[in-house]
Amino acid sequence: MRGPVAPRDPEKKRQFFYLMKDKNVFAAPLQDGRGITPIYLDGGRLIEASKFVGNLSDEKLIDMLKTAEGFKKLVHSMGVIVDGCDRDTKCKFVFQFYGKNDILGGGTLLEMPVRCDGSEHLLDLSQIELTDEDKEVGQLRYEFDENGFTANVTVKMYLNDGFDAPAQEEDAPCDLTSDEFSKHIKDSIVQIGNTYRFNKAVEKARRGEDTTIAFIGGSITQGAGAVPINTECYAYKTYQAFKKITGMDENIHYVKAGVGGTPSELGMIRYDRDVRRGGEVEPDVVIVEFAVNDEGDETKGVCFESLIRKIWNGKSHPAVIILFSVFANDYNLEDRLSPVGRAYALPMVSLKKCVTEQFYKTKDTGRLITKAQYFYDVFHPTNTGHSVMAMCLEQLMRDMKEIVCMEDTDFDKVVSPIGTDFDSVMLLDSKDMPVEAVIDKGDFDSVDTELQAVEMNLDIKGTPEFPYNWRFDATKHDSFTKPFTIELMARRLLIVNKDSGSPNEGIADIYVDGEYVRSINPLDNGWVHCNPLIILNDTECKKRKVEVRMAKGSENKSFTILGFGVCV
């Protein structure tokens, strides 16, 4: 083998910190057969990853990461390493800034071919000129010529002259089987609660009857951070644990219904479709995980309690378990939501109680797992983190099995700690009409197919959420002229719209009974996902007329109504 005739002098050795280190990723399939792994860095994720993976603590440097201009001044180049897969696999590394006006399409896009052989490739930023449109670092992604495999990726941030990087520590392996860690697992149990329904489900399974354990929540329940997402997520691992606890296998069924970036306000609307599958599935155990998603709940807990009651009152009388996950910045809404579990005597598990306190210890004083080992990014767990979540739930279920409750909790006697206004909510869209309704589509006469898609159950490919929608497609109309209207009996109503990052989406105004209620801007959240909003909250059920029209200045923009939540 011959080497280069005139090898270049080595690059100057620069100080660096890790953005990610030996991160396990999955090449998710695209329609054309290629694989892709997007890693989002907006919304504070770049900063949090730099803190807990790269040990960055200098507030001056952290502040520079907030903008594209600051990032460019700080970071000279990026070192990218890919291995752990077939070394002949072709890979392209893409680094993207988000735009100020056109979020996904307006920022600078950088691309670099990368060999999957463990060698480091440098993306030099020093010669790149940013534009006035560049707002912030948005995402990086790996594009492979094949799909369906895992790889390990590392990204180093090399700094410009004049900046000092923190020392980069190597994490000691974490032992989840140790006696010390099992104590933390036990600490996760907030409350065992009333075990009557859970033990009924175990007995049912042991009789050989079909028994279903279901999971509803946000992106963590969807499996985000797990690689692969279908079998390394906490939900699947908990399902496997439930089979061990019951001693059964083929009669135990699994439903996973997590939707990223959405609160219980949407969960209560989609429960019947996504978990019960329109009545085809009646779960026996349901784990509810919205502790890090419900900041967006307009009712500050009423929707969560309504969802709990909706599940509890189901035909199959399922056991309900509340799961409190946690973010890398220690955030969750356990204090807001745990009163619901206490009032209804529901089993509860807290990952914050399990891992957060020990994060801030040293190896010598009791740290057993680091943030970098637990978190895939600022929001989602790694495979190890998902395993910890499943271990906590398994510990709870084993403890529940040992406690016999002779009677069920009487929900009718419980004093509601927050509110249950929406516990009878039903999904209404172009497919399902749970109540009599008169609809005039007006100019909303198209169907949107570019939807948020999520991996349900054991699927690797995403299932589109709310496919039976109404869309005003501005490309098919000269201009907006005729609103969407629906007339129905209701006391409470929610509208679900599609958010987007496309500048082609516009603002819609909502009217109820002729009165202006609110305007909805699908660009507020900046990405394609489902957004529920309350448009009526009354105590009287009577005939209502809802009107959706494009706002002034948005007549040549598009808008999608995904569906409605209706309480009668």
Side-chain angles (χ1 to χ4, degrees), residues 448-490:
D448 197 336
T449 57
E450 296 181 6
L451 304 170
Q452 182 177 11
V454 299
E455 298 85 354
M456 295 285 187
N457 302 346
L458 280 168
D459 296 342
I460 283 291
K461 292 186 177 181
T463 297
E465 281 288 299
F466 297 93
Y468 310 105
N469 54 67
W470 300 276
R471 177 168 176 78
F472 169 62
D473 187 343
T475 65
K476 297 181 180 179
H477 295 265
D478 292 334
S479 183
F480 178 80
T481 58
K482 190 177 181 182
F484 172 98
T485 62
I486 179 171
E487 296 182 62
L488 74 171
M489 298 292 292

Side-chain angles (χ1 to χ4, degrees), residues 108-128:
T108 298
L109 192 72
L110 306 174
E111 299 180 346
M112 175 178 68
V114 175
R115 295 189 303 277
C116 298
D117 59 1
S119 58
E120 183 173 358
H121 300 70
L122 280 180
L123 181 62
D124 188 350
L125 304 180
S126 63
Q127 303 302 314
I128 303 299

